[in-house]
């Protein structure tokens, strides 16, 4: 659905190493900027593209690796940055430390017709553009585009936490006034987790829903980069805002399904068949079932709990809402929480008797059940398979499957 090209394009963003403990093989150099470059390249749009980043590890290898693609590289010497993820919902460490990065930030100056800009830890930017797409990438000390840049048509792509942080407002009407009146936005896209995103085209706009698409597998490291990059790609090539945003959400779904394989996105888009999630007004409650009788068990329950809460879910957790006690004290409270929940997310490794009971109880009550099971003997899962539970061995996929059920 590509329209007429609208001039030259520049990408500004980080080039970082990413390590994820939940995915043993994920130790790669990406970052928002490089991921965006590879997305444009996958769409066959690298000729004449300009790429600006700050790095050391890949400073010389990038121009050599893509020397035949017609890309102009503007790479600034800087520290190597590494994001270490415990799992896709939690960054356990960033190195070097943030105070060092902020103290040694580089400066990137770009003047071009079309610019997509990602906020960076290791560099500040100054942009002059006809059209710009800006993704601040963080709710911690995000920088306004207008602080040092200008564009005739500016689109912000951000989540609600970033929107509140930048605008200083808490309700959507005040947020829209800030971005359209103060930042002079041409459009605003606010991402809302499992409920998709909303595209606003003026401050009185009620918005257009951009749905999330339900995939079989979920991989989220860099999915926001893919959303922003795809939106910019289509918009810069003459496609309207709504279609560009819909393509961005579909592209993020393709990226997620393929576990981060950017080169597969165009083919996936050509044969796209993932269903859209139609959100309800309020999230249904999720019951988080799982044993918590050892440090390891409590750790995984906590990780699931905070991952669900980070997606805005309503969660009842026996560990957090009831605690440990005598059976006659805790069981009635747990069952009350289970009765008042519509979805159960069960951590079943080890086949804990209490968790198995809760799953069976939920099935008998007609509730949706998602089971996280990583190291359990398949023969122990016959009843769960036969009662159509969602069985997942991937942490992120289990979380999102529960969130999708809660959002429907």
């Amino acid at each position: 659905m590509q329209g007429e090209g609208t001039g030259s394009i520049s990408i500004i963003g980080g080039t970082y190493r990413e390590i994820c403990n939940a995915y043993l093989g994920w130790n790669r150099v990406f970052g928002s900027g490089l991921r965006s470059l590879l997305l444009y390249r996958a769409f066959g749009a690298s000729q004449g593209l300009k790429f600006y980043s700050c790095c050391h590890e890949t400073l010389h290898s990038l121009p050599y690796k893509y020397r035949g693609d017609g890309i102009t590289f503007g790479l600034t010497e800087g520290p190597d940055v590494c994001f270490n993820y415990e799992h896709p919902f939690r960054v356990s460490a960033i190195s070097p430390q943030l105070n060092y990065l902020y103290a040694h930030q580089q400066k990137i100056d770009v003047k071009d017709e079309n610019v997509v800009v990602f906020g960076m830890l290791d560099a500040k930017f100054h942009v002059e553009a006809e059209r710009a797409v800006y993704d601040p990438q963080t709710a911690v000390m995000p920088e306004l585009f207008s602080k040092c840049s200008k564009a005739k048509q500016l689109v912000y792509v951000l989540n609600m936490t970033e929107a509140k942080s930048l605008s200083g407002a808490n309700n959507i009407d005040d947020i829209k006034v800030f971005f359209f009146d103060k930042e002079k936005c041409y459009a605003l896209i606010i991402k809302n987790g499992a409920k998709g995103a909303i595209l606003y085209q003026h401050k009185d706009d009620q918005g257009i829903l951009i749905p999330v698409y339900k995939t079989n597998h979920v991989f989220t490291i860099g999915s926001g980069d893919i959303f922003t990059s795809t939106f910019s790609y289509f918009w810069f090539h003459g496609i309207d805002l709504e279609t560009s945003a819909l393509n961005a959400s579909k592209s993020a779904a393709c990226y997620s399904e393929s576990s981060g394989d950017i080169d597969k996105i165009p083919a996936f888009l050509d044969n796209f068949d993932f269903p859209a999630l139609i959100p309800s007004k309020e999230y249904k409650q999720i019951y988080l079932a799982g044993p918590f009788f050892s440090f390891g068990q409590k750790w995984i329950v906590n990780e699931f709990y905070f991952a669900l809460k980070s997606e805005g879910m309503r969660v009842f957790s026996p560990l957090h809402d009831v605690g440990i006690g005598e059976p006659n004290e805790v069981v009635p409270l747990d069952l009350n929480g289970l009765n008042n929940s519509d979805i159960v997310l069960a951590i079943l490794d080890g086949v804990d008797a209490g968790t198995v009971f809760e799953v069976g109880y939920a099935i008998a009550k007609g509730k949706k059940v998602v089971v996280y099971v990583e190291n359990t003997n398949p023969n122990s899962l016959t009843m769960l398979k036969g009662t159509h539970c969602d069985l997942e061995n991937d942490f992120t996929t289990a979380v999102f499957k529960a969130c999708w059920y809660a959002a429907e």
Side-chain angles (χ1 to χ4, degrees):
M1 299 183 65
Q2 184 169 322
E4 293 297 320
T6 56
S8 58
I9 299 172
S10 291
I11 296 170
I12 304 172
T15 301
Y16 307 140
R17 179 167 290 279
E18 301 169 351
I19 300 171
C20 184
N21 294 333
Y23 301 103
L24 300 181
W26 197 263
N27 183 341
R28 307 181 186 182
V29 174
F30 272 118
S32 55
L34 182 55
R35 193 173 272 111
S36 184
L37 172 68
L38 297 178
L39 186 282
Y40 271 77
R41 183 172 177 268
F43 279 120
S46 61
Q47 194 68 37
L49 193 65
K50 294 181 280 293
F51 178 64
Y52 299 87
S53 192
C54 180
C55 57
H56 174 76
E57 181 179 10
T58 58
L59 193 64
H60 303 293
S61 62
L62 276 179
Y64 179 79
K65 185 174 183 179
Y66 303 110
R67 62 191 181 280
D69 291 340
I71 303 167
T72 299
F73 289 90
L75 302 178
T76 303
E77 178 78 34
D80 290 331
V81 179
C82 178
F83 281 74
N84 197 312
Y85 293 85
E86 197 63 39
H87 49 73
F89 293 93
R90 182 159 71 85
V91 177
S92 54
I94 300 174
S95 61
Q97 293 184 345
L98 293 181
N99 57 352
Y100 177 88
L101 291 172
Y102 289 141
H104 294 82
Q105 282 185 320
Q106 304 298 309
K107 182 72 175 292
I108 295 175
D109 289 286
V110 174
K111 185 175 182 179
D112 205 348
E113 292 175 272
N114 302 283
V115 183
V116 54
V117 188
F118 295 92
M120 301 170 66
L121 296 175
D122 48 348
K124 292 182 176 292
F125 61 87
H126 171 261
V127 169
E128 292 184 32
E130 294 292 315
R131 300 204 291 184
V133 176
Y134 177 43
D135 183 341
Q137 291 279 296
T138 179
V140 181
M141 297 175 63
E143 193 154 287
L144 290 169
F145 185 86
S146 64
K147 182 177 179 181
C148 55
S149 299
K150 56 185 179 181
K152 290 183 179 178
Q153 294 182 336
L154 169 65
V155 177
Y156 264 86
V157 181
L158 67 177
N159 61 39
M160 183 58 78
T161 304
E162 293 164 345
K164 290 178 178 180
S165 179
L166 283 166
S167 66
N170 288 317
N171 68 75
I172 189 59
D173 289 333
D174 290 340
I175 289 170
K176 287 188 292 181
V177 167
F178 174 86
F179 281 103
F180 283 102
D181 285 356
K182 302 294 185 181
E183 283 294 282
K184 308 299 182 185
C185 275
Y186 181 72
L188 171 67
I189 298 175
I190 297 182
K191 295 178 287 186
N192 292 304
K195 288 196 172 182
I198 305 291
L199 166 66
Y200 300 100
Q201 299 181 66
H202 54 80
K203 66 181 179 182
D204 298 317
D205 188 2
Q206 294 304 303
I208 298 170
L209 174 66
I210 307 301
V212 165
Y213 294 92
K214 298 188 290 183
T215 55
N216 300 309
H217 177 76
V218 182
F219 179 85
T220 57
I221 296 176
S223 61
D225 305 337
I226 295 299
F227 182 101
T228 299
S229 301
T230 304
F231 172 82
S232 70
Y233 168 79
F234 281 97
W235 186 49
F236 290 163
H237 286 89
I239 303 301
D240 64 90
L241 291 166
E242 181 179 355
T243 304
S244 297
L246 287 169
N247 285 337
S249 186
K250 290 178 180 179
S251 187
C254 297
Y255 173 85
S256 179
E257 176 69 15
S258 65
S259 299
D261 191 332
I262 297 171
D263 288 336
K264 290 183 178 179
I265 291 175
F268 263 115
L269 279 180
D270 288 340
N271 300 283
F272 193 86
D273 61 354
F274 298 118
L277 186 150
I278 307 301
S280 60
K281 290 185 178 180
E282 293 186 4
Y283 290 129
K284 303 178 185 73
Q285 183 166 281
I286 298 170
Y287 184 94
L288 179 58
F292 42 89
F293 306 112
S294 67
F295 174 73
Q297 290 174 341
K298 289 179 71 173
W299 183 89
I300 193 67
V301 170
N302 274 317
E303 294 303 296
F304 270 102
Y305 179 78
F306 291 113
L308 291 167
K309 297 293 283 186
S310 73
E311 292 298 310
M313 295 297 117
R314 293 171 52 218
V315 184
F316 182 93
S317 164
L319 171 62
H320 299 89
D321 295 309
V322 178
I324 296 174
E326 295 299 319
N328 64 316
E329 297 173 339
V330 301
V331 169
L333 298 175
D334 290 346
L335 287 177
N336 185 59
L338 187 51
N339 285 324
N340 290 326
S341 301
D342 297 282
I343 299 95
V344 171
L345 173 53
I347 305 164
L348 205 60
D349 276 354
V351 196
D352 167 67
T355 306
V356 171
F357 171 86
E358 290 166 322
V359 169
Y361 187 92
I363 292 170
K365 292 281 187 177
K367 301 177 186 295
K368 293 286 187 181
V369 178
V370 178
V371 178
Y372 173 71
V373 53
E374 191 176 12
N375 296 308
T376 299
N377 187 325
N379 293 331
S380 302
L381 306 175
T382 301
M383 289 296 293
L384 302 183
K385 293 176 182 177
T387 51
H388 308 293
C389 295
D390 285 66
L391 302 181
E392 302 294 341
N393 62 6
D394 175 71
F395 177 91
T396 308
T397 303
V399 169
F400 271 94
K401 289 286 181 74
C403 290
W404 292 340
Y405 284 132
E408 291 177 330

